Every structure is written in structure tokens, then in C-alpha cells.
């Protein structure tokens, strides 16, 4: 049997294992998971999330593992669903549900994969609470060192599916959390001045983790939400901060699966790339203008789209939010998107931008250094804002906290300074300084490079080839060193973000997992060109 190691059993590892079931010959598969339970994943584990935290993806978008998420949910008892505040009668495919409930689905389906693999004659070994400490590519295969093992085990293919990387709990104190997933769920947060860096869903979820200790949400008629603060928690005050101080949109209605674009097609992008890196960003933005104007001429006229370039378009995109109080704008946006959902109405310009990000992303590895920086500081922000629209329920809770006088938003501007003074964190911006008793950094996953790899031998092998970031092929197998070709598949998302800035989410995990599974069957793939590492 061909021996395969899967390191990490979150969504990417799960979809890799699931795809391996299509192999015509039985395989020997060993899954290594450093958490106590394999098949859940940090974003959906009960240790790292509260029941109030919602997954930012609905069943209609989740690639099924044997059965769809909604079909699995309908097998659960009313009592089980009620633990998460979910009513069986209200279940539908576009619903956003608690992350830990989605984690239960993945765990259940992972165990189904294990059972099916064994029925097909696979040899399966699951190593839980077992950290892989090192990897080494050799001419015979890949040596894998696992925690507690005296000697490495040799595999024909090692799949790195380690997922998000956050600072560990040891870097957190009782008053400073370098991420919401660095001990926050287990911490007792007193009623005090709490600062949260980030106004996206991660920042909002961090706020929910705090307020859950100090009061209770109540949902009334027409899904209206209120929050009652405990009497002894009257000193609780939370400030969400970002450079712009704007809030994300609520998730909007649109057709799924996505309809094809008419102008910015894969062929059009290929032709634009063939014209060379100089001017590539502007050529593609010109195509975007035509696509948007065709889909929604009224909106194009409203923002004077044809007068804009790739650098000025982001200002037009965010202009409405900058002109209004963030909570007033969020309330109006929530009412709009909920009305559109009831009427099944698609706003053309929003839907066009949503579809554009996946196609336009293909140009990133081919941009020159100047245009790469322009893209990251401009269009990338627009695309991320658009596809990272958040559950309506999260907006309702945020508005309830604002109405209760608990939460506010601070726009820091481009130049701010963060410092520590004893146990407190100080934020200085635009001539003012705010002091926080508790501080949470919720700015999300940052791109990682080879020097961040937790596997010292593999890290040394890659650095010896001069690779600042891992160089992978179409099947995500390493292209260097030569000895690693076809032997190590690298699907750890933070290391792929340099040339795929939008590489995140369950659908991407399924795509990468299927590609890495092909590495068990086919010769190593051709080079997938990428952007050299640029520290922006």
C-alpha cells in the first residue's frame, strides 16, 4: 500500500481524506491531529468558540461530505438543536448557524470517512492529541516525526493541512490577547474598558465572547434583538477599532452556484496576463469596469465608474459608509439585505463583485511589485469586504450592544501607535490616547512564509533552495527541493496567501483537498507561477 500522512484534520485535511476514497487501490492513511479530537478544525471547535459565534457560510455553499450539511442537521433531534438555539422547523439552506454545530458535522463525517475507508480495504491510523514536530524529504519518501514517537515514520506522501496559525495561549496574558483564539474562550474578562482591534466578524465575535460573561441577548418580534447587562457589570465598555472604523455588510442574497461572468472570463484574464506584467492591473480593471457597467448601469453611473481607476475605485466603494455613522449605516444595510432575502432580489453590483474576486485573483502572481502593492492596498480590500459580508444575526447583536450603550467604534486613521503600560494597552491616534484594561487583537490571519514553518528540517531544506515562501505546483506539491517533488503536498492556507490573497474558507479547503489527493495518483504537477514574497 502507498503510505500517506495527513497532518491536520480540519476542513482541508477532511476533504483530502474524502477525495482519497476515490483511489482505485487501497491506501495506508495516517491522520495526525494535535487537538483532542480529529475531524473538527480550530475554527469550529468548542474549545475555541462560543455558541454565539456563527459560521460565515451556509449549507448551500458547503461542499458535502457524503451528505449535505442541511441533510445532516435534519437527522438531529429537536433537543440537540435547541442546545444551539436552533429550531428544526426553521432550518433552511441559507441559514448561518453556530460554528461548533458545523464542527459537529465535520467530526461526524470524518468518522464516516474513516469507516468507509476501512470498508474499502484502507489501512487507517488516527493520531489524536499528537503534534507533528518535524518533516524531512528524502529520496525514499518523507520522514514524519510525531510527538511521543522515538523514531520518524516513512511515508510516500505527506499532506500538510495545518490550517490557520495563531499565537499560542502562552503569548496571552489575562489582559492582552494576541488573537481571539489565544486563550480568550477560557478567560474571565472583568467588566472594564475592553479594546478590540478589528471591526470584521472576528472582532465582533471577540466582543460576543466578552459580553456573554456579562449579560444576555433576547430576541423579540421581527427578529429584533436586545441585550440586558448584568447589574454588577455596569463598568463594561467595548471599543472596536480599525483604520477606517467601518463595519462589514450583512450577507446578501444572490444565486448559488454563481452565474458565469460575461466579460471578465478566464479566457479574458489569460489574454490580459499574456500581455505582460506592466499595465496588467489597469488592463484587468478596465475589464472589471465593463463587467460592472453591463450588470448594473445605474450604479455605475451613480459612482461615476468610468472616471475611476484601480486606485480610486476603493474610495467610491466605501464612500457611503464613510459618510454615515457606522451603526446607522449597519441598521439601514441590515434592513435592505433582509428585504432582499425575503423578495429573493439580487443587487447586481454586489453580486458582480462577488464573482469577480475569484477570477481576478488569478492575476496576482503575475503583477509586478508596484502593482502588487497597489492591488493589496486597493482592490483587494474591496473584494475582501464584499465576500466577507457577515451573518445578519451578528449585525443584530452588534446593534443591540450599541443600543445598550456597551459598544462603540473608533476610526484610528492610517497612523496610530499601540503600546503597553503595565497590564494596560494604550492606543494613540490623531492626537488622542485611549487606555484599555483588556485588549484583543482580532485582525485575522496574516500571510506566513518559510521562516514561520514549525517543521525545522523541512524549513531548512526550503531555505537552502532560497524559497521565502513554499513554491507549489497545481496539485500543491512542493516544487523544491527536488527531493520533495511529489512527496510533500503543501495545503496550509496561511502560506498560500501571498499569491492567492483570498485563499480561505471551506470551499477553498475542498478544492485544495481534492487537488492534493490527486498527488497520490498522478506524477508531480507543473509549476504554478507565483508572486515573490513582498513584505507590505
Amino acid at each position: 500500500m502507498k503510505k500517506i500522512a495527513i497532518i491536520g484534520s480540519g476542513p482541508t485535511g477532511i476533504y483530502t481524506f474524502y477525495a482519497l476514497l476515490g483511489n482505485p487501490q487501497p491506501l495506508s492513511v495516517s491522520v495526525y491531529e494535535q487537538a483532542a479530537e480529529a475531524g473538527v478544525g480550530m475554527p469550529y471547535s468548542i474549545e475555541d468558540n462560543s455558541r454565539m459565534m456563527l459560521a460565515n457560510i451556509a449549507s448551500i455553499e458547503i461542499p458535502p461530505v457524503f451528505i449535505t450539511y442541511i441533510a445532516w442537521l435534519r437527522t438531529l433531534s429537536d433537543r440537540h438543536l435547541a442546545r444551539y438555539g436552533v429550531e428544526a422547523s426553521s432550518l433552511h439552506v441559507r441559514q448561518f448557524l453556530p460554528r461548533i454545530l458545523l464542527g459537529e458535522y465535520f467530526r461526524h463525517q470524518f468518522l464516516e470517512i474513516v469507516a468507509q475507508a476501512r470498508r474499502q480495504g484502507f489501512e487507517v491510523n488516527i493520531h489524536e492529541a499528537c503534534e507533528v514536530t518535524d518533516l524531512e524529504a528524502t529520496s525514499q519518501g518523507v520522514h514524519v516525526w510525531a510527538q511521543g514517537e522515538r523514531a520518524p515514520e516513512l511515508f510516500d506522501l505527506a499532506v500538510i493541512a495545518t490550517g490557520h496559525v495563531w499565537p499560542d495561549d502562552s503569548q496571552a496574558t489575562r489582559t492582552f490577547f494576541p488573537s481571539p483564539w489565544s486563550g480568550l474562550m477560557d478567560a474571565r474578562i472583568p467588566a472594564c474598558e475592553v479594546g478590540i482591534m478589528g471591526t470584521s466578524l472576528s472582532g465582533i465575535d471577540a466582543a460576543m465572547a466578552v459580553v456573554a460573561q456579562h449579560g444576555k441577548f433576547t430576541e423579540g418580534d421581527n427578529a429584533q434583538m436586545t441585550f440586558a447587562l448584568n447589574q454588577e457589570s455596569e463598568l463594561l465598555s467595548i471599543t472596536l477599532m480599525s483604520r477606517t472604523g467601518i463595519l462589514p455588510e450583512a450577507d446578501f442574497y444572490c444565486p448559488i452556484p454563481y452565474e458565469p461572468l460575461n466579460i471578465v472570463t478566464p479566457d479574458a484574464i489569460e489574454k490580459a496576463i499574456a500581455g505582460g506584467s506592466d499595465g496588467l492591473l489597469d488592463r484587468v480593471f478596465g475589464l472589471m469596469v465593463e463587467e460592472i457597467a453591463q450588470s448594473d448601469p445605474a450604479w455605475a453611473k451613480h459612482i461615476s465608474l468610468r472616471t475611476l481607476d484601480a486606485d480610486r475605485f476603493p474610495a467610491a466603494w466605501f464612500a457611503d459608509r464613510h459618510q454615515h455613522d457606522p451603526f446607522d449605516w449597519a441598521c439601514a444595510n441590515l434592513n435592505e439585505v433582509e428585504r432582499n432575502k425575503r423578495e429573493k432580489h439580487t443587487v447586481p453590483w454586489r453580486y458582480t463583485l462577488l464573482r469577480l474576486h475569484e477570477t481576478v485573483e488569478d492575476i496576482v502572481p503575475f503583477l509586478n511589485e508596484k502593482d502588487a502593492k497597489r492591488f493589496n492596498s486597493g482592490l483587494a480590500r474591496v473584494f475582501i469586504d464584499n465576500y466577507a459580508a457577515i451573518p445578519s444575526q451578528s449585525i443584530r447583536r452588534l446593534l443591540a450592544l450599541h443600543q445598550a450603550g456597551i459598544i462603540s467604534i473608533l476610526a484610528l486613521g492610517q497612523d496610530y501607535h499601540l503600546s503597553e503600560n503595565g497590564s494596560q494597552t494604550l492606543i494613540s491616534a490623531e492626537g488622542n490616547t485611549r487606555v484599555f484594561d483588556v485588549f484583543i487583537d482580532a485582525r485575522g490571519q496574516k500571510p506566513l512564509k518559510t521562516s514561520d514553518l514549525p517543521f525545522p528540517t523541512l524549513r531548512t531544506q526550503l531555505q537552502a533552495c532560497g524559497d521565502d515562501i513554499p513554491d507549489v505546483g497545481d496539485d500543491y506539491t512542493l516544487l523544491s527541493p527536488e527531493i520533495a517533488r511529489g512527496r510533500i503536498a503543501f495545503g496550509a492556507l496561511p502560506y498560500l496567501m501571498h499569491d492567492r490573497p483570498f485563499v480561505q474558507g471551506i470551499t477553498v479547503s475542498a478544492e485544495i483537498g481534492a487537488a492534493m489527493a490527486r498527488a497520490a495518483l498522478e506524477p508531480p504537477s507543473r509549476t504554478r507561477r507565483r508572486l515573490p514574497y513582498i513584505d507590505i
Side-chain angles (χ1 to χ4, degrees), residues 310-440:
D311 304 306
R312 290 184 293 162
F313 179 69
W317 175 268
F318 292 110
D320 191 41
R321 274 175 270 186
H322 281 301
Q323 293 166 7
H324 294 87
D325 172 85
F327 294 102
D328 291 344
W329 181 88
C331 183
N333 173 254
L334 176 65
N335 291 334
E336 179 202 345
V337 298
E338 288 302 295
R339 181 175 64 252
N340 291 340
K341 287 175 184 177
R342 290 192 299 271
E343 298 172 358
K344 296 186 177 180
H345 170 67
T346 299
V347 177
W349 56 268
R350 282 197 185 107
Y351 186 42
T352 300
L353 260 294
L354 181 63
R355 291 174 290 160
L356 277 169
H357 87 267
E358 294 182 349
T359 306
V360 173
E361 184 183 49
D362 290 343
I363 74 171
V364 174
F366 302 93
L367 295 173
N368 60 35
E369 185 171 338
K370 177 183 176 183
D371 283 354
K373 290 182 177 180
R374 290 174 61 207
F375 180 82
N376 286 336
S377 63
L379 285 180
R381 291 175 51 236
V382 172
F383 286 133
I384 292 169
D385 176 73
N386 177 255
Y387 74 67
I390 68 176
S392 291
Q393 191 76 336
S394 296
I395 295 291
R396 291 189 189 99
R397 290 170 177 164
L398 186 67
L399 293 173
L401 291 176
H402 178 62
Q403 187 177 27
I406 295 166
I407 203 163
S408 61
I409 290 176
L410 176 62
L412 298 172
Q414 294 303 308
D415 187 21
Y416 68 89
H417 179 68
L418 184 153
S419 60
E420 294 182 49
N421 181 19
S423 63
Q424 294 179 315
T425 300
L426 281 62
I427 299 287
S428 300
E430 299 182 348
N432 297 309
T433 298
R434 293 285 302 274
V435 180
F436 297 102
D437 304 305
V438 172
F439 186 83
I440 304 162

Side-chain angles (χ1 to χ4, degrees), residues 114-148:
V114 171
Q116 180 60 33
R118 287 173 173 156
R119 285 192 291 268
Q120 291 178 208
F122 282 51
E123 179 185 292
V124 180
N125 299 289
I126 307 299
H127 305 271
E128 297 178 315
C130 181
E131 181 181 2
V132 170
T133 57
D134 205 0
L135 296 172
E136 180 186 25
T138 74
S139 57
Q140 289 79 39
V142 183
H143 282 132
V144 175
W145 281 264
Q147 187 178 10

Side-chain angles (χ1 to χ4, degrees), residues 121-122 175 225 243 247 272 308 344 346 358 390 400 458 468 473 485 508:
F122 282 51
T175 59
M225 192 80 66
R243 283 189 167 92
L247 288 169
L308 303 176
K344 296 186 177 180
T346 299
E358 294 182 349
I390 68 176
L458 178 60
D468 288 326
R485 285 199 175 199
V508 169

Side-chain angles (χ1 to χ4, degrees), residues 184-249:
L184 179 62
M185 291 304 108
D186 298 325
R188 175 62 186 169
I189 306 298
C192 61
E193 290 283 343
V194 178
I196 299 175
M197 186 65 76
T199 55
S200 66
L201 185 58
S202 295
I204 294 169
D205 279 345
M208 297 307 145
V210 173
V211 300
Q213 302 181 25
H214 296 280
K216 183 179 180 181
F217 287 99
T218 302
E219 189 168 343
D221 296 337
N222 300 318
Q224 291 296 313
M225 192 80 66
T226 57
F227 183 80
L229 187 67
N230 296 339
Q231 187 173 355
E232 64 275 16
S233 298
E234 291 179 353
L235 295 178
L236 179 65
S237 177
I238 299 174
T239 303
L240 298 180
M241 293 167 280
S242 69
R243 283 189 167 92
T244 62
I246 63 173
L247 288 169
E249 289 194 307

Side-chain angles (χ1 to χ4, degrees), residues 76-84:
L76 303 179
S77 68
D78 291 355
R79 183 177 180 182
H80 190 95
L81 289 171
R83 289 166 50 193
Y84 300 97

